[in-house]
Amino acid sequence: MKLIKTEHLKSHVSEKFECDQCDFKARLKGQLRRHMLRHTGEKSHKCPHCDFQCSTFDNLRKHIIKTGKHPGKFIYECVSCADTDQPTGSIFKTNSFREYQLHLSTHKTQAS
């Protein structure tokens, strides 16, 4: 039933977002935005552990976590923890942006 409903809803979507540089078409504006990075060559996501750069955060995540180039490294490592005299093992590290933001808020309350 869900598949039938999904297919039916697709029939109502007639608007396509078209690339002005090639024949690419997308149903979602975000898909077109990601596609446009191919034309511009923009690589705004930088690896914090090496000189690797890529166009999407998903590719950066794959580079850090799945390629094995940075074993034991994480996407987010707390600079505030690293600046203190704490042992390396107690520096906050995570691959979750939400967890990182929550951790950073602990530094703000400690400073008050």
Side-chain angles (χ1 to χ4, degrees):
M1 180 68 173
K2 188 175 182 179
L3 179 63
I4 294 170
K5 192 175 189 180
T6 303
E7 291 300 317
H8 174 76
L9 289 173
K10 285 181 184 177
S11 70
H12 291 286
V13 178
S14 61
E15 184 179 8
K16 297 274 188 199
F17 297 94
E18 297 183 14
C19 177
D20 61 359
Q21 297 183 30
C22 70
D23 61 354
F24 178 83
K25 294 178 184 171
R27 285 194 315 247
L28 302 173
K29 196 174 195 176
Q31 292 171 334
L32 177 62
R33 203 174 309 127
R34 185 177 62 224
H35 165 79
M36 292 304 292
L37 295 173
R38 291 178 179 231
H39 296 300
T40 63
E42 179 185 340
K43 295 184 177 182
S44 58
H45 298 276
K46 296 173 177 65
C47 177
H49 310 296
C50 70
D51 59 356
F52 177 79
Q53 295 182 358
C54 56
S55 59
T56 67
F57 184 76
D58 285 337
N59 286 343
L60 178 61
R61 178 181 292 279
K62 289 174 193 170
H63 165 79
I64 294 172
I65 298 171
K66 299 189 178 196
T67 63
K69 293 181 180 181
H70 304 296
K73 292 292 189 178
F74 294 82
I75 296 171
Y76 304 104
E77 297 185 3
C78 181
V79 177
S80 297
C81 288
D83 288 344
T84 63
D85 293 332
Q86 296 183 26
T88 306
S90 63
I91 295 171
F92 183 82
K93 302 172 185 178
T94 185
N95 290 319
S96 164
F97 181 71
R98 179 175 285 155
E99 288 177 9
Y100 183 61
Q101 291 298 309
L102 286 170
H103 171 76
L104 290 178
S105 69
T106 65
H107 287 295
K108 290 177 185 171
T109 56
Q110 289 172 358
S112 299

